[in-house]
């Protein structure tokens, strides 16, 4: 029998979840939890797109705004690593070679989404942002 912490680790890591004694209610709870994450992601994404559109209406420099957003991410996690509040990842050269195309695709789609917000309606940006997983998979296939 798998412990609760192992089950949680397997579940959050994308692996097969450990067998639960009450699998019916556990499966329903897991489905509701996952659905809640998708709903929250979508709601936050709408807010993010509207905020970006307002920023682009005030300052029509999509490349600059996208660069500032990416730099803000760096300014967020590097201090966490340096202060030991979050463990820094240990990546080998092979790991970096694997992650580089994914990171470049993610950056490209992020910049494309910001440019799309500046070029047209928020709904058009949704289409561009929805292509991110597809672009990443095609490039890394």
């Amino acid at each position: 029998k798998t412990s609760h912490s192992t089950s949680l680790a397997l579940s959050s890591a994308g692996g097969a979840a450990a067998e639960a004694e009450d699998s019916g209610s556990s499966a329903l709870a897991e489905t509701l939890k996952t659905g809640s994450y998708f709903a929250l992601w979508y709601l936050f994404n709408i807010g993010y797109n509207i905020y970006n559109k307002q920023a682009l209406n005030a300052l029509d420099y999509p490349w600059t705004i996208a660069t500032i957003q990416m730099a803000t991410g760096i300014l967020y996690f590097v201090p966490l690593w340096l202060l030991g509040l979050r463990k820094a990842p240990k990546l080998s050269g092979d790991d970096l070679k694997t992650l580089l195309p994914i990171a470049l695709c993610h950056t490209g789609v992020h910049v494309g989404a910001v440019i799309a917000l500046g070029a047209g309606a928020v709904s058009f940006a949704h289409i561009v942002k929805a292509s991110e997983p597809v672009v990443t998979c095609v490039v890394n296939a």
Side-chain angles (χ1 to χ4, degrees):
K1 182 148 179 132
T2 309
S3 72
H4 177 68
S5 60
T6 303
S7 172
L8 181 60
L10 287 172
S11 174
S12 63
E19 292 180 0
E21 290 177 7
D22 55 342
S23 60
S25 64
S26 176
L28 177 62
E30 190 67 28
T31 300
L32 290 173
K33 183 178 170 183
T34 303
S36 298
Y37 288 146
F38 277 109
L40 284 172
W41 172 82
Y42 191 75
L43 287 173
F44 288 137
N45 195 23
I46 290 170
Y48 170 81
N49 286 338
I50 292 170
Y51 174 78
N52 263 350
K53 183 64 176 177
Q54 290 172 342
L56 287 163
N57 286 340
L59 181 68
D60 193 24
Y61 295 104
W63 283 91
T64 303
I65 289 176
T67 302
I68 290 170
Q69 289 172 342
M70 297 302 254
T72 302
I74 293 169
L75 294 174
Y76 172 76
F77 65 79
V78 169
L80 292 176
W81 292 345
L82 294 175
L83 296 172
L85 298 173
R86 184 151 186 120
K87 186 178 175 186
K90 304 217 182 301
L91 301 172
S92 67
D94 286 340
D95 293 337
L96 291 174
K97 285 180 191 175
T98 300
L99 291 174
L100 184 63
I102 297 168
L104 291 174
C105 286
H106 177 73
T107 301
V109 171
H110 174 74
V111 170
V114 174
I115 291 170
L117 277 166
V122 173
S123 58
F124 176 65
H126 277 292
I127 294 168
V128 173
K129 288 176 83 171
S131 72
E132 180 179 352
V134 175
V135 171
T136 303
C137 291
V138 167
V139 170
N140 290 298

